[in-house]
Amino acid sequence: MVIDRRKAILFTSAAALRFVLFFAFPSLPVLLTGRVEISTPVTSFKRLQEGLFLYTHNVSPYDGGVFHQAPLLLPLFALFPPSLFSPLTALFYVVLDLLCANALTHIANSGESGSSRLFTSPRKDMKWDSIAVAAAYLFNPFTIATCIGRPTSVFTNCAILYAVAQAVSGKPITSMLALGFASYLSLYPALLLPPLVLLCYDRKARDMKTPLNASFSTATYVSVFSASIAWFLHLSKVLTCGSSEYLASTYGVHLLLPDLTPNVGLWWYFFIEIFDSFREFFLGVFWLHLGGYVGPLCIRLRTQPLFVITTLLGIFAIFKPYPSVSDTSLHIFPLMRYTFFATATILYATLLGPAFYYLWIYAGSGNANFFYAITLVWSLGLSEIVADSLFAVLRDEWEVERPEMKGKDVRQI
């Protein structure tokens, strides 16, 4: 077995940095675990610990309305001895980060971003090395803070990345299983099913000499995805002694937003201020807005399903009910126009967000408007990245159709 020396050095350095932060600064994990930018009601490690305590004492973890995470996480963390719980969880989260980076290297090495079955970019050679992509992920401050803060969103991110990595490797069944696990944990990854099915089909069709039956392949992939979710739900029901209480506590929280704890998203403040009589209507509007991008993007960018998945992940980071910094993706395209503006906006929100939260909660010299205003700036920065990346891809397609316009300015009339 050949070991990539650069990859080994990168992974060792990233793991060493995380272990130093975990053990040399023991108060840092406690601090970051409580930050609303990292932990949400549906991913908080503190809430997981409370649910785990109830679970190990033969009490339903969903009693009290605090624990809103998938039941299968409980027996997993219950395997860690109480005396070694902190170091073992630290090791576990570091390994998860390395698995995410490994999946990213597979995606980068596949070349799918530059050349798919139906489209080949004229800039396909202008791509980052897979080690550089993994390094950008592993040494991203948001990724490091998420690892130290230990939210369970890391499990969802890892499952999504592995679903994509398996899809570009021509393994649709394991890809659907991974997406099923991600959807079981967090619900919203189910919206990635249409573009992932397209990606699996395109990759399999390109690798096979005989043409694939599109209807049969789609039915197979959707069936595997549905069966995987059904199996995880069955295991959850067995784990909770036949009770279905976890459904409302886990998925109902995503759909109905009963917990309005502040976060970096757009939902919490709006539903605090809205009249209760309009709550159901606007819940439907917000969810329709979140899911309404899937179909149009799959149709317009049918030739590039990997980019559709990337764009949807960016949209989820802005518009889903309980977002955090762990949802922030890295978008870099040669034709992006406003990289400096988007980066400056993200940095501005990153630096002022904790300050505004402190003024509101601790100093008492501000109100909720302070923190919500800075979350709007954060969403603006992410929206600029998503919109600019869309422009870059559409401009790339346009130059393939009209090569004489390459390098010329485009102006909307």
Side-chain angles (χ1 to χ4, degrees), residues 211-384:
L212 287 176
N213 186 307
S215 300
F216 177 77
S217 298
T218 301
T220 302
Y221 302 155
V222 174
S223 299
V224 172
F225 171 76
S226 303
S228 66
I229 293 181
W231 174 246
F232 290 130
L233 292 177
H234 172 70
L235 291 179
S236 298
K237 192 170 183 178
V238 171
L239 187 65
T240 55
C241 302
S243 172
S244 299
E245 183 185 9
Y246 74 93
L247 292 173
S249 298
T250 304
Y251 308 115
V253 171
H254 286 275
L255 293 172
L256 303 177
L257 206 78
D259 194 320
L260 297 175
T261 302
N263 53 68
V264 296
L266 303 173
W267 293 46
W268 65 274
Y269 185 81
F270 184 87
F271 284 96
I272 285 177
E273 297 295 331
I274 200 173
F275 291 110
D276 288 342
S277 57
F278 296 103
R279 181 180 175 84
E280 289 77 11
F281 171 76
F282 280 103
L283 277 171
V285 170
F286 273 55
W287 270 108
L288 183 63
H289 181 264
L290 181 64
Y293 292 96
V294 178
L297 283 172
C298 288
I299 294 171
R300 177 60 185 85
L301 298 172
R302 167 63 186 92
T303 59
Q304 302 186 65
L306 179 60
F307 178 73
V308 174
I309 294 173
T310 305
T311 303
L312 287 176
L313 290 175
I315 291 171
F316 295 160
I318 303 167
F319 295 116
K320 75 175 189 175
Y322 295 106
S324 68
V325 297
S326 67
D327 301 305
T328 306
S329 319
L330 183 65
H331 292 71
I332 297 178
F333 294 88
L335 293 173
M336 286 180 66
R337 301 166 295 173
Y338 306 118
T339 304
F340 173 77
F341 174 76
T343 305
T345 305
I346 293 295
L347 290 176
Y348 178 83
T350 302
L351 295 174
L352 288 184
F356 282 16
Y357 187 77
Y358 175 83
L359 290 174
W360 171 31
I361 298 297
Y362 299 103
S365 57
N367 54 35
N369 293 328
F370 276 59
F371 185 65
Y372 189 62
I374 206 66
T375 62
L376 291 176
V377 176
W378 170 265
S379 299
L380 172 65
L382 295 181
S383 300
E384 179 56 41

Side-chain angles (χ1 to χ4, degrees), residues 31-68:
L31 172 66
L32 293 180
T33 299
R35 294 301 309 177
V36 296
E37 298 90 348
I38 296 173
S39 297
T40 70
V42 295
T43 63
S44 171
F45 186 72
K46 285 184 177 180
R47 297 193 183 212
L48 174 65
Q49 287 178 300
E50 181 165 344
L52 185 61
F53 177 83
L54 295 175
Y55 171 75
T56 54
H57 286 78
N58 297 320
V59 179
S60 172
Y62 299 101
D63 286 348
V66 174
F67 181 66
H68 302 303

